[in-house]
Amino acid sequence: MNQSEIVGYIWGAAELLRGDYKQSKYGDVVLPFTVLRRLDCVLESTKGAVQQENEDLTAYGANDAIRDEALFAITGVKFYNTSSFTLERLRNEPNQIARNLQSYIDDFSKDVSDIFDKFKFAETIADLNDKGLLFQLVSLFAGLDLGPDAVDDLQMGTVYEELIRRFSEMSNETAGEHFSPRDGLKLAVDLLISGSEDDLSKPGSIVYAYDPCAGTGGALSLFESRVKEYYDSAKVYCYGQELNPETFATCKADMLLRGENADHIAYGNTLTNDAFDRSFAYQISNPPYGVDWKKYAKPIKDEYANLGYNGRFGAGLPRVSDGQLLFIEHMVSKMRDPEDGGGRIAVFMNGSPLFTGNAGSGESNIRRWLLEERDLVEAIVAMPTDFFYNTGIATYIWILSNHKPVERKGKVQLIDAGKVFTKMRQSLGKKRNMLSDEQIEAIVREYQAFENTDTSKIFDVQEFGYTTVTVLQPERDENDEIRRDRKGNPKSDKSLTDTENIPLNEDVDEYFEREVKPYAPDAWMDRSKDKVGYEIPFTRYFYKYTPLRASSEIAEDLKTLEASIAERLAELGL
């Protein structure tokens, strides 16, 4: 079976639930069964050997640590199951299906037990049994081959994500909170590791990668696969944290199946309960867009107030309606030190972090910190619209580095890849556009070239900065005379108070004389209220003016259209 056929087969399980479960609950049943069948297939070939070794270890009185080490060696992965059951064998006793399935789950090693606890699978088993559906579900999944010879790890990850996308659509949830399209991840990974040949190709290279919003683990698994494809001697260790219990369970299962350390996948809120006290060379993530962080604001605000730059959020706090920049600050705090080779980040964002917030706001201060104070922003790539499963809005990949090459220091490259895409034959949710491998390679080449073209522009970081200057105008009396105070200074009319955003690379006084004075001759500036801000007006830099059509040309077209309509009406005898 190919991936589509596998997903279609599994979707048959959702059809079995129709009428007994709300659509929003289908995923709670089908996803853990899919994970269980994958684990079941992976362990099938070593089942007998594990059972025999477990019996011998029990007879010898071996402790849990010795048992784990011995049985992991047999299975070749970091989990095992000591039960005599498999999904296929469970079918032999239909009347005992619930008891036997729970016994099978209980006999998995600790990390797998944690996975099914997060799925709340014991409750699902009992509920399905009460509804008379459990045996049918077990039989359906027992007939599906999800073994590693039939479905490799990357394909399996795609199956998980496609199921989650479908279930999210049915329940009106946000699929983008869980995963990103594989073509987008390929581009992000290739941009992330571009220029890191010295780091990744050295013999015995050990690579630590991290995703603070791990979802099902798709970004991490693709990063590992891509690095090994280019640098087969590199050893990749993946770490991630995930808030959603079901996707955490799926991610942890995927990591176990790929031979990763399950302890490297943590459950919980990254922003309030950081699980990893270490740095990473490479980070890749797709944080949720526009998600309110008000409900867990207190610990974040406390960290900001009490720790400042010694914590993660010293640069500032964005408005509570959108926490994307909080994840950026968190990831920056995890970057490997430049002295040790530096750290790199690839993160998906929507347009809001580019420009939301006036000078002095949390968002503007964070941009200033990223661009000017730390010089971390290496490139920003505009993606096509209709590219993600859950949204058609504009999205961007930010590439950050604390170890920029000399030619990129103090510079930011903007790449407009919004028109680089291939139309999909069939939409997946709101995803109608995709990137081919050739298009991904072309975007990466443009990034590597680091040149000014129609679709690539290089800027000094200061070009994104501006000073917001307060402009005052005088108050006038009924005779249009300027009112003055006792010292003879003009009084300001508060209703006419305005501001001007003056680029940092321009002289404020010269700008004022040129752009303000001709239109407000009596105006003056209150420089005590100056604020420095930063924004990245991406679209403006790539805007191309298209002249309007001549009115005579439009009139001719209208005449032609009217004549055509009249001719058609005449043919109809009207």
Side-chain angles (χ1 to χ4, degrees):
M1 289 187 181
N2 59 33
Q3 290 163 207
S4 298
E5 291 169 334
I6 292 170
V7 171
Y9 183 97
I10 295 172
W11 200 250
E15 294 299 319
L16 285 175
L17 304 178
R18 192 179 300 277
D20 291 283
Y21 285 85
K22 294 179 180 179
Q23 288 187 346
S24 61
K25 296 298 182 182
Y26 287 0
D28 297 344
V29 176
V30 175
L31 194 58
F33 264 103
T34 304
V35 171
L36 176 59
R37 181 53 177 162
R38 176 66 165 179
L39 298 171
D40 188 58
C41 289
V42 168
L43 296 178
E44 184 176 3
S45 63
T46 58
K47 189 74 175 175
V50 166
Q51 283 184 272
Q52 183 61 57
E53 182 68 10
N54 185 56
E55 290 175 8
D56 293 343
L57 291 167
T58 301
Y60 294 144
N63 61 32
D64 289 344
I66 292 174
R67 187 186 308 274
D68 285 351
E69 185 175 350
L71 298 184
F72 290 163
I74 293 173
T75 63
V77 287
K78 296 293 184 180
F79 63 95
Y80 57 81
N81 185 292
T82 58
S83 171
S84 61
F85 290 117
T86 63
L87 282 188
E88 180 60 37
R89 293 174 192 171
L90 285 168
R91 300 171 64 192
N92 295 333
E93 296 184 82
N95 295 331
Q96 303 297 325
I97 189 68
R99 185 189 69 181
N100 291 346
L101 177 56
Q102 187 60 59
S103 173
Y104 180 39
I105 296 297
D106 292 341
D107 284 340
F108 273 106
S109 48
K110 181 179 178 297
D111 285 321
V112 175
S113 296
D114 179 47
I115 289 167
F116 287 104
D117 284 345
K118 288 298 187 296
F119 277 132
K120 299 180 180 178
F121 198 50
E123 297 175 21
T124 299
I125 291 172
D127 195 44
L128 286 168
N129 194 51
D130 289 344
K131 290 179 167 65
L133 296 171
L134 185 58
F135 183 77
Q136 295 180 66
L137 263 294
V138 169
S139 297
L140 186 145
F141 278 94
L144 177 63
D145 183 4
L146 292 182
D149 292 336
V151 187
D152 66 29
D153 292 334
L154 281 178
Q155 289 174 317
M156 196 66 226
T158 303
V159 169
Y160 292 143
E161 292 171 355
E162 173 61 10
L163 290 171
I164 290 174
R165 183 191 68 78
R166 292 194 185 194
F167 293 134
S168 297
E169 282 185 350
M170 294 177 75
S171 60
N172 294 317
E173 292 178 357
T174 307
E177 291 183 13
H178 302 306
F179 63 96
S180 310
R182 289 289 167 128
D183 49 344
L185 287 176
K186 280 185 179 180
L187 173 59
V189 170
D190 284 7
L191 291 169
L192 182 63
I193 64 178
S194 179
S196 299
E197 290 83 0
D198 292 342
D199 185 42
L200 296 171
S201 62
K202 56 189 177 186
S205 176
I206 297 177
V207 180
Y208 293 96
Y210 172 61
D211 183 349
C213 308
T216 61
L220 291 171
S221 62
L222 189 60
F223 175 85
E224 180 178 9
S225 172
R226 210 72 168 160
V227 168
K228 288 183 175 179
E229 180 182 341
Y230 297 138
Y231 309 100
D232 57 4
S233 66
K235 175 62 179 174
V236 179
Y237 292 96
C238 294
Y239 290 72
Q241 188 163 352
E242 173 57 30
L243 177 61
N244 180 286
E246 289 79 17
T247 45
F248 160 77
T250 307
C251 180
K252 187 170 182 178
D254 187 54
M255 292 293 137
L256 279 172
L257 287 160
R258 293 194 290 109
E260 296 281 350
N261 187 333
D263 292 338
H264 292 176
I265 303 301
Y267 175 66
N269 188 322
T270 300
L271 298 178
T272 60
N273 186 24
D274 179 14
F276 302 108
D277 184 19
R278 60 155 302 133
S279 62
F280 300 93
Y282 302 92
Q283 299 179 65
I284 181 169
S285 194
N286 177 27
Y289 306 151
V291 173
D292 191 306
W293 53 280
K294 184 187 298 182
K295 61 185 176 182
Y296 45 86
K298 187 179 186 307
I300 294 173
K301 290 181 176 180
D302 286 348
E303 181 175 339
Y304 169 72
N306 298 328
L307 296 180
Y309 284 103
N310 291 322
R312 295 171 293 169
F313 310 118
L317 300 178
R319 64 197 67 195
V320 294
S321 60
D322 188 355
Q324 289 177 85
L325 285 169
L326 290 175
F327 286 101
I328 285 275
E329 290 183 273
H330 168 79
M331 294 173 79
V332 168
S333 76
K334 296 292 186 185
M335 296 177 90
R336 183 176 63 179
D337 288 339
E339 296 78 14
D340 298 324
R344 291 177 62 78
I345 293 171
V347 57
F348 290 91
M349 312 282 271
N350 67 11
S352 176
L354 293 170
F355 53 79
T356 301
N358 297 324
S361 68
E363 293 92 343
S364 179
N365 289 341
I366 294 169
R367 284 191 293 269
R368 181 178 184 179
W369 175 71
L370 291 169
L371 289 160
E372 179 190 282
E373 297 176 29
R374 295 290 304 275
D375 188 21
L376 294 173
V377 183
E378 193 169 272
I380 301 174
V381 180
M383 303 295 288
T385 56
D386 299 326
F387 187 75
F388 281 74
Y389 298 112
N390 66 308
T391 180
I393 64 173
T395 53
Y396 303 81
I397 300 175
W398 290 50
I399 304 298
L400 277 63
S401 171
N402 64 1
H403 193 50
K404 287 184 177 182
V406 173
E407 67 273 15
R408 287 186 181 267
K409 289 186 182 298
K411 307 284 186 182
V412 177
Q413 181 181 15
L414 303 184
I415 298 175
D416 182 10
K419 296 181 176 62
V420 181
F421 59 84
T422 301
K423 278 290 180 186
M424 297 173 63
R425 293 182 180 178
Q426 184 175 356
S427 299
L428 291 174
K430 294 184 179 179
K431 181 174 174 61
R432 301 177 179 87
N433 299 323
M434 61 171 285
L435 292 174
S436 67
D437 287 345
E438 293 75 19
Q439 288 166 332
I440 291 171
E441 291 172 5
I443 295 170
V444 173
R445 281 197 303 271
E446 186 153 42
Y447 161 78
Q448 292 170 336
F450 193 57
E451 296 174 349
N452 280 301
T453 68
D454 287 344
T455 53
S456 168
K457 298 189 183 298
I458 315 298
F459 297 91
D460 292 329
V461 294
Q462 289 80 11
E463 292 186 60
F464 302 118
Y466 60 90
T467 303
T468 296
V469 177
T470 300
V471 178
L472 305 176
Q473 294 191 57
E475 183 181 328
R476 296 178 182 273
D477 61 20
E478 59 275 9
N479 297 317
D480 202 33
E481 296 292 329
I482 295 175
R483 296 183 186 275
R484 299 180 181 274
D485 60 22
R486 292 178 179 179
K487 295 181 179 181
N489 297 319
K491 293 183 177 181
S492 67
D493 186 339
K494 293 183 179 179
S495 67
L496 297 177
T497 299
D498 203 352
T499 58
E500 283 285 327
N501 290 338
I502 302 175
L504 287 182
N505 54 11
E506 288 207 37
D507 182 273
V508 172
D509 293 321
E510 290 180 3
Y511 179 97
F512 186 74
E513 290 295 325
R514 184 182 73 247
E515 300 293 338
V516 178
K517 277 289 193 178
Y519 311 101
D522 297 320
W524 71 95
M525 296 181 287
D526 181 356
R527 299 298 305 277
S528 68
K529 296 179 180 178
D530 282 8
K531 292 181 180 178
V532 174
Y534 271 78
E535 67 176 10
I536 305 172
F538 197 105
T539 304
R540 184 199 307 167
Y541 295 127
F542 293 95
Y543 173 75
K544 290 185 178 180
Y545 173 71
T546 302
L548 296 175
R549 297 172 64 198
S551 57
S552 57
E553 184 180 336
I554 296 172
E556 285 299 317
D557 286 348
L558 288 173
K559 288 180 181 178
T560 301
L561 182 61
E562 288 172 354
S564 175
I565 293 171
E567 184 179 341
R568 291 290 182 88
L569 291 174
E571 290 175 356
L572 295 171
L574 298 176

